[in-house]
Amino acid sequence: MTRVTIYINGETVDEEVEDRTLLVDFLRVNRRLTGTHVGCDTSQCGACVVHVDGEAVKSCAMLAVQCEGRDVRTIEGLTDGEALHAMQKAFHECHALQCGFCTPGMIMSAVDMVRRHGAELDETTIRHELEGNICRCTGYENIVKAIRQGSREMQR
Amino acid sequence: MNRFDFKRVDSVQAAVTLLCEIEDSSVLAGGQTLIPTMKQGLSAPAALIDLGGISELREIRIEEDAIVVGAMCTHADVANSSSIRQHIPGLAHLAGQIGDAQVRNRGTIGGSIANNDPAADYPAACLGLDATILTDKRAIAADSFFLGLFETALDEGELITGVRFRHCRRSTYLKFRNPASRFAIVGVFVGRGKEGWRVAITGAGRDGVFRWRAAEEALNGDCRPQALEPLRLSIEEMLDDIHAKGDYRAHLIKVLACDAVEKLLR
Ligand SMILES: Cc1cc2nc3c(=O)[nH]c(=O)nc-3n(C[C@H](O)[C@H](O)[C@H](O)COP(=O)(O)OP(=O)(O)OC[C@H]3O[C@@H](n4cnc5c(N)ncnc54)[C@H](O)[C@@H]3O)c2cc1C
Ligand code: FES
Ligand code: FES
């Protein structure tokens, strides 16, 4: 067991964890932040994407103990309060989800994409950047559309 | 995943000491290979020594005619470094094609090279750029570092600290990737340095990454892509698996190598 201090969605969490605990399990089981999903066992689907110190990572391929002293943001922490984040709103408006399983990871990746590439995201960049996120039902058309719209809204 | 002890260190020395002291211990870099293999039970170290806290390993050091990339630099660090993009464009281009954005944010050059996956990208850059692998004890030329599938010249308990790449403005990397895993089915790194052309192939060799010396010689005589036309690769030495047959890989190598040379001459 190791004692860790992690800043999760703006809150300081100070807890003992078993060393082998994956970040995704720490978030879902210990912290009940179940918006972060697990969709595969091979680090390929991206349903588990969260931000660590502002960068998108796959939380199924990182240990909770590796987050000591770091800032972790999950889909639950994207906004404070009830209002949706611009990217969430764009996914809603563009019908960029059906079952919604991949959506939290898609949105966290999309927000990181805007951080790195700015607001004027073109389709090629979005598609290249979405390689680590798999959607098994919507098809990517509306997801790409939503990210374009969301990226512009975020800059407003 | 099996139980293990997690150890934090803040210096190379401390990491090496623990690595030698604790039986069955492994170092943890970006964890993008190690953690998935531990989850699958394919690897079960007794302790993980986390290199994430050693800040000197995350540096990109600029020398007069070379760049030293710290072992813990992520693929994203290398892809985005303005000095690397300027002086060794092929290296930055290669790093930007590894895996996906999230993998590039965590995975490191040291981890990739230590692992020496036959389909990994970085080994091709190391051979193609005549790089030097720096460890806590010595400097190893890339030509004698990659020994076979997942095998390297590293001794037990030896730690990669960085990789020195000499500047090579004329360098590029073309990759035909597996669309699911994004690893290379064939990856071709071509560089034209002071000592002539270098052509390194990953993803395709039965014994892992290799230099295509016949192509280098041909290009040193005639630097047009046509110079590669008459060459034949030995199909027996190609990987042959569910992703691609040996003859297909041999063909792809030539096609990609010609394209790479053409791109460099443009
Ligand atoms: C979905 C996915 C797609 C990927 N696609 C690609 C791809 O297209 N191309 C590609 O090349 N790779 C790909 N990878 C692999 C990725 O690049 C890994 O990041 C890399 O192979 C290992 O680096 P790491 O820092 O994650 O190392 P880790 O997983 O932490 O370690 C790997 C091994 O190296 C050892 N090690 C680590 N650092 C050192 C060091 N400094 N000295 C000595 N030993 C060390 C560890 O003990 C371990 O045995 C992919 C991975 C995933 C999950
Ligand atoms: S659950 Fe993390 S990538 Fe699939
Ligand atoms: S909306 Fe169902 S997997 Fe993407």
Side-chain angles (χ1 to χ4, degrees):
Chain A
M1 301 287 274
T2 298
R3 186 154 207 102
V4 289
T5 307
I6 309 178
Y7 309 99
I8 302 179
N9 298 335
E11 191 193 325
T12 306
V13 173
D14 189 12
E15 234 180 83
E16 287 260 309
V17 290
E18 213 186 320
D19 291 0
R20 63 176 169 171
T21 310
L22 295 170
L23 175 58
V24 69
D25 293 329
F26 182 71
L27 294 170
R28 290 178 55 85
V29 180
N30 298 38
R31 303 309 306 168
R32 294 282 170 208
L33 293 168
T34 52
T36 303
H37 293 165
V38 177
C40 75
D41 214 8
T42 49
S43 331
Q44 280 173 320
C45 76
C48 65
V49 171
V50 301
H51 295 175
V52 173
D53 287 343
E55 293 181 350
V57 304
K58 291 178 172 172
S59 61
C60 71
M62 194 169 176
L63 302 169
V65 286
Q66 287 179 284
C67 296
E68 167 66 28
R70 291 163 167 245
D71 191 78
V72 175
R73 194 156 297 268
T74 70
I75 188 77
E76 291 90 345
L78 212 49
T79 52
D80 28 77
E82 292 293 304
L84 291 181
H85 182 275
M87 194 59 79
Q88 289 172 308
K89 202 156 153 278
F91 269 65
H92 179 195
E93 285 168 5
C94 298
H95 192 84
L97 56 145
Q98 281 189 44
C99 76
F101 195 85
C102 68
T103 313
M106 288 282 178
I107 291 178
M108 296 312 279
S109 296
V111 171
D112 182 54
M113 215 182 280
V114 177
R115 173 184 68 83
R116 284 178 293 116
H117 294 283
E120 289 303 313
L121 285 173
D122 60 43
E123 181 170 344
T124 318
T125 310
I126 296 173
R127 287 189 185 270
H128 175 68
E129 285 282 337
L130 271 188
E131 280 165 351
N133 293 82
I134 295 174
C135 175
R136 285 291 86 139
C137 50
T138 320
Y140 298 88
E141 291 302 319
N142 286 353
I143 294 177
V144 173
K145 217 195 289 172
I147 296 176
R148 287 192 79 164
Q149 180 178 319
S151 66
R152 300 210 168 96
E153 297 287 326
M154 273 174 71
Q155 238 50 20
R156 292 249 167 95
Chain B
M1 197 174 351
N2 287 20
R3 287 205 171 77
F4 58 83
D5 282 330
F6 181 80
K7 304 282 184 194
R8 275 189 201 109
V9 290
D10 55 13
S11 71
V12 170
Q13 195 44 55
V16 172
T17 307
L18 279 183
L19 196 54
C20 297
E21 265 173 28
I22 309 174
E23 207 171 320
D24 284 336
S25 58
S26 272
V27 294
L28 175 65
Q32 301 302 289
T33 295
L34 189 51
I35 293 177
T37 48
M38 288 171 65
K39 280 162 69 177
Q40 288 169 7
L42 298 173
S43 148
L48 286 187
I49 300 154
D50 181 23
L51 304 180
I54 310 177
S55 50
E56 63 183 279
L57 293 184
R58 186 81 189 258
E59 286 167 11
I60 293 179
R61 209 170 64 234
I62 314 296
E63 297 183 344
E64 200 186 317
D65 61 347
I67 296 178
V68 180
V69 181
M72 287 297 286
C73 289
T74 63
H75 310 329
D77 290 341
V78 173
N80 297 330
S81 153
S82 53
S83 338
I84 298 178
R85 290 164 79 129
Q86 185 188 346
H87 297 294
I88 321 173
L91 181 62
H93 183 60
L94 172 145
Q97 293 182 62
I98 299 176
D100 52 52
Q102 296 85 7
V103 168
R104 291 193 291 274
N105 279 340
R106 296 289 307 156
T108 67
I109 188 169
S112 175
I113 290 171
N115 197 47
N116 192 18
D117 188 302
D121 299 302
Y122 269 129
C126 292
L127 280 189
L129 290 164
D130 193 12
T132 308
I133 320 296
L134 310 173
T135 78
D136 60 301
K137 310 198 265 220
R138 56 188 169 143
I140 310 169
D143 275 332
S144 32
F145 183 83
F146 302 102
L147 300 183
L149 306 183
F150 301 100
E151 261 189 67
T152 68
L154 287 177
D155 289 335
E156 192 110 352
E158 188 171 8
L159 200 73
I160 300 174
T161 54
V163 186
R164 174 181 285 113
F165 295 97
R166 279 181 299 171
H167 289 174
C168 185
R169 293 291 291 269
R170 288 224 195 152
S171 57
T172 193
Y173 179 67
L174 294 185
K175 170 176 174 179
F176 190 84
R177 29 176 241 179
N178 177 320
S181 76
R182 287 174 289 280
F183 274 95
I185 287 178
V186 171
V188 177
F189 195 100
V190 179
R192 187 184 190 174
K194 287 205 181 82
E195 277 105 60
W197 289 82
R198 276 202 171 224
V199 181
I201 314 292
T202 190
R206 223 179 37 189
D207 299 321
V209 68
F210 67 95
R211 275 172 71 190
W212 187 14
R213 289 177 196 265
E216 295 176 356
E217 273 162 37
L219 290 168
N220 284 334
D222 170 3
C223 71
R224 294 170 309 152
Q226 293 89 306
L228 304 180
E229 276 307 326
L231 304 183
R232 292 274 169 275
L233 284 128
S234 150
I235 291 169
E236 286 69 50
E237 285 165 28
M238 296 291 117
L239 271 176
D240 191 326
D241 58 22
I242 54 166
H243 305 302
K245 293 264 172 224
D247 55 351
Y248 182 72
R249 281 191 160 97
H251 177 73
L252 256 183
I253 291 174
K254 204 154 97 174
V255 172
L256 291 179
C258 287
D259 286 356
V261 172
E262 201 171 298
K263 190 173 155 199
L264 288 181
L265 294 179
R266 237 182 270 142

